[in-house]
Amino acid sequence: MKGEAAPAAEPISSHAIRMDAAALNAFMAEAFPHSRPGSRGHVVSAAPGHVQARLDPNEQALRPGGLVSGPTQMGLADMAAYALVLAHIGPVAMAVTSALNYQFLRPCRPGPVMADAHMLRLGKRLAVMDVRLWTDDPERPIGQANVTYAIP
Amino acid sequence: MKGEAAPAAEPISSHAIRMDAAALNAFMAEAFPHSRPGSRGHVVSAAPGHVQARLDPNEQALRPGGLVSGPTQMGLADMAAYALVLAHIGPVAMAVTSALNYQFLRPCRPGPVMADAHMLRLGKRLAVMDVRLWTDDPERPIGQANVTYAIP
Amino acid sequence: MKGEAAPAAEPISSHAIRMDAAALNAFMAEAFPHSRPGSRGHVVSAAPGHVQARLDPNEQALRPGGLVSGPTQMGLADMAAYALVLAHIGPVAMAVTSALNYQFLRPCRPGPVMADAHMLRLGKRLAVMDVRLWTDDPERPIGQANVTYAIP
Amino acid sequence: MKGEAAPAAEPISSHAIRMDAAALNAFMAEAFPHSRPGSRGHVVSAAPGHVQARLDPNEQALRPGGLVSGPTQMGLADMAAYALVLAHIGPVAMAVTSALNYQFLRPCRPGPVMADAHMLRLGKRLAVMDVRLWTDDPERPIGQANVTYAIP
């Protein structure tokens, strides 16, 4: 149903990335000077089609019962997706979130939260990504997001 | 396709509410002691089927260019939906977000952000709500959310 | 968070439409020659920012228990959103569905199904719409969709 | 944020299934007597946590340009998710779709369409699944769905 011209013949996973984890973290630290590491997280690794991010939640990221709050989870998913787009298109372009659909799957206990973002499609105007959040077992995600970014 | 038994014959808008704006704000201030007013927002009004909330974003709620960040917007939508559920089922039950779908519609400039949450369906196990965020004109929303809460 | 240039100052509801209900139905009958009225539905009215569509489900649109099937509901929501886009941009452009999020709210009993599609934002590249499906009472929708179309 | 009691300690992939592909196809043929194979598809394989389905679209499943229509894609995603739920809970229970979020990723050319449905979480009341649709290359999906079923 999507009539937009398909990208080149190679799958997205063969694309080269333009920014590695260090470059992504430096870019985001400058872009979001007011956010703290304990609420934003950082990029652990970046590869073609995949970025892994990690958050060590601070006290304000928790909600009653000591669980990591929903907005904190969604913020981490958004950050991982943003990093995945930047890794592929580079720091020059201004990409903006167009839609974020989040499913809360299991209670998110305190401690490090990992986010694996995979590219589903990188088009000229839209990037669509799948993001899984997990704590102790990647096979038992605590949340799943589908994130769409508009590329200018 | 939804086979769950339908609620009673009257539309949800005729249901009585069990908590007003003051009760909702007191409940949430106690439930989220670490969150600050500038990041969480507060309930302005509560009526059958409708809650209005407001956020006056603090500096940490902004992103580059001075726009209100995506996670801040999604957090406000989640809070308004939570308040709408509580208004109808009362403070005794523990409701948890099951899914939150958010569409970013327009840039969210700094200043007060309003959120109008309307009940689409209040079932025995799930509440589904529509939330619109706006700044200067409710007819030109800056974001729209569909939020599902699981009711224990 | 959405950095895309905002549309002109007037709200979308003041835009003129370029196709009325008759023109929309003629266009879609030609575009989908294989679909039957009982599975596709037709446009009842078109106005700035709003299209109403109606489906009289045929036997193949039903599922066990005589309820209208989920794909039939989602197809009607998609058609109403498509008509709403066409009403505003005219028949020349090829618009394609980019995302469709559907919430099943209540059992959809057989008989006429109405769909009210409202424009949330009509940008240069994306149109985002809210669609409500109902049978006997618009205040008690049987389903709600958020539909995004990409505009070439 | 999801406070629902977590399932037993083993990951979902270790659960046994209660219906295989043949049993699922027999059940659905009886449940949907009016749907035709060319519009509904069939189950290819069923394993713990995973069902694969296939659709050979008939003429009415196509839209202009010969592409497989959006509702056909969403119907296949819904069917694969339904089969995945049934495979785990058995044919006795009546499960109903609660929400279906679909992302159109690439044009869906005619010919066989495959759907891989994976369980993200199987709770007592809700099952949440990821479904990928593809034609020639599973690494280049034509669509992605997140489907939630309510379990009675």
Side-chain angles (χ1 to χ4, degrees):
Chain A
M1 197 148 193
K2 193 88 173 60
E4 195 178 331
E10 286 132 310
I12 185 70
S13 58
S14 70
H15 287 191
I17 60 169
R18 303 186 184 183
M19 298 176 79
D20 62 11
L24 290 165
N25 286 320
F27 180 85
M28 287 195 285
E30 192 168 349
F32 304 97
H34 297 306
S35 71
R36 294 138 300 152
S39 65
R40 187 188 64 219
H42 67 278
V43 177
V44 173
S45 65
H50 176 221
V51 154
Q52 187 174 79
R54 169 180 171 147
L55 172 71
D56 294 86
N58 61 18
E59 191 176 57
Q60 294 189 342
L62 304 183
R63 52 165 286 159
L67 299 177
V68 177
S69 77
T72 300
Q73 294 179 42
M74 293 186 284
L76 176 60
D78 188 37
M79 185 277 270
Y82 183 48
L84 183 54
V85 172
L86 290 180
H88 285 84
I89 67 173
V92 288
M94 177 68 183
V96 290
T97 318
S98 170
L100 192 150
N101 297 340
Y102 195 81
Q103 312 289 327
F104 295 89
L105 298 170
R106 294 176 174 88
C108 186
R109 306 191 197 292
V113 185
M114 308 301 296
D116 281 300
H118 285 95
M119 190 68 77
L120 291 171
R121 178 166 192 271
L122 177 58
K124 271 171 291 201
R125 307 192 304 176
L126 291 178
V128 184
M129 291 156 281
D130 174 84
V131 188
R132 307 280 169 99
L133 270 64
W134 51 279
T135 52
D136 48 340
D137 182 354
E139 295 299 309
R140 289 170 55 77
I142 55 102
Q144 186 265 344
N146 188 288
V147 189
T148 302
Y149 264 76
I151 301 172
Chain B
M1 196 142 192
K2 194 89 172 60
E4 195 179 330
E10 286 131 310
I12 185 70
S13 59
S14 71
H15 287 191
I17 60 170
R18 301 186 186 186
M19 298 176 80
D20 61 12
L24 289 165
N25 285 320
F27 180 85
M28 288 194 286
E30 193 168 349
F32 303 98
H34 297 304
S35 70
R36 295 138 300 151
S39 65
R40 188 188 64 219
H42 67 279
V43 177
V44 174
S45 64
H50 177 221
V51 154
Q52 187 174 77
R54 169 180 172 148
L55 173 70
D56 294 85
N58 61 18
E59 193 175 57
Q60 294 189 342
L62 303 184
R63 53 165 284 160
L67 300 178
V68 177
S69 77
T72 301
Q73 294 178 42
M74 294 186 283
L76 175 60
D78 188 37
M79 185 277 270
Y82 184 47
L84 182 54
V85 171
L86 291 180
H88 285 86
I89 68 174
V92 288
M94 178 67 184
V96 289
T97 317
S98 170
L100 191 150
N101 296 340
Y102 195 81
Q103 312 288 327
F104 294 89
L105 298 170
R106 295 178 174 87
C108 185
R109 308 191 195 292
V113 184
M114 308 302 294
D116 281 300
H118 286 95
M119 190 67 78
L120 290 171
R121 179 167 190 270
L122 177 58
K124 270 171 290 201
R125 307 192 304 176
L126 291 177
V128 184
M129 291 156 280
D130 174 85
V131 188
R132 308 280 169 98
L133 270 64
W134 52 279
T135 51
D136 47 339
D137 181 354
E139 295 300 307
R140 289 170 56 77
I142 56 102
Q144 185 265 344
N146 189 287
V147 189
T148 302
Y149 264 75
I151 302 172
Chain C
M1 196 144 194
K2 194 86 173 61
E4 196 179 329
E10 286 132 310
I12 186 70
S13 60
S14 70
H15 287 191
I17 60 170
R18 301 185 186 186
M19 297 175 81
D20 61 11
L24 290 165
N25 285 320
F27 179 85
M28 288 195 285
E30 193 168 349
F32 303 99
H34 297 305
S35 71
R36 294 138 301 151
S39 64
R40 188 187 66 220
H42 67 277
V43 177
V44 173
S45 64
H50 177 221
V51 154
Q52 187 173 77
R54 169 180 171 148
L55 173 71
D56 295 85
N58 60 19
E59 193 175 57
Q60 293 189 341
L62 303 184
R63 54 165 284 161
L67 300 178
V68 177
S69 77
T72 301
Q73 293 179 42
M74 293 186 284
L76 175 60
D78 188 38
M79 185 277 272
Y82 184 47
L84 182 54
V85 171
L86 290 180
H88 285 86
I89 69 173
V92 287
M94 178 68 185
V96 290
T97 317
S98 170
L100 191 150
N101 297 340
Y102 195 82
Q103 312 289 328
F104 295 89
L105 298 170
R106 295 179 174 86
C108 185
R109 307 192 196 291
V113 185
M114 309 301 296
D116 282 299
H118 286 95
M119 190 67 78
L120 291 171
R121 179 166 189 270
L122 177 58
K124 269 170 291 200
R125 306 191 305 176
L126 291 178
V128 185
M129 290 155 282
D130 174 86
V131 188
R132 309 279 169 98
L133 269 65
W134 52 278
T135 51
D136 47 339
D137 181 354
E139 296 300 308
R140 289 170 56 77
I142 56 101
Q144 185 266 343
N146 189 287
V147 189
T148 302
Y149 264 75
I151 302 172
Chain D
M1 198 146 192
K2 193 89 172 59
E4 194 179 330
E10 286 131 312
I12 186 70
S13 59
S14 70
H15 288 191
I17 59 169
R18 303 187 185 184
M19 298 176 79
D20 62 12
L24 290 166
N25 286 320
F27 180 85
M28 287 195 286
E30 193 168 348
F32 304 97
H34 297 304
S35 71
R36 294 138 301 150
S39 65
R40 187 189 65 219
H42 67 278
V43 177
V44 174
S45 65
H50 176 221
V51 155
Q52 187 174 77
R54 169 181 171 147
L55 172 71
D56 295 85
N58 60 19
E59 192 176 57
Q60 294 190 343
L62 304 184
R63 52 166 285 160
L67 299 178
V68 177
S69 77
T72 300
Q73 294 179 42
M74 294 186 284
L76 175 60
D78 189 37
M79 185 276 272
Y82 183 48
L84 183 54
V85 171
L86 291 180
H88 285 84
I89 68 173
V92 288
M94 177 69 186
V96 290
T97 318
S98 171
L100 192 151
N101 297 340
Y102 195 81
Q103 311 289 327
F104 295 89
L105 298 170
R106 294 177 174 87
C108 185
R109 307 191 197 290
V113 185
M114 309 301 295
D116 281 301
H118 286 94
M119 189 67 77
L120 292 171
R121 177 166 192 272
L122 177 58
K124 270 170 292 200
R125 307 191 304 177
L126 291 178
V128 184
M129 290 156 282
D130 174 85
V131 188
R132 307 280 169 99
L133 269 65
W134 52 278
T135 52
D136 48 339
D137 182 355
E139 295 300 308
R140 289 170 55 77
I142 56 102
Q144 186 265 344
N146 188 288
V147 189
T148 302
Y149 264 76
I151 302 172

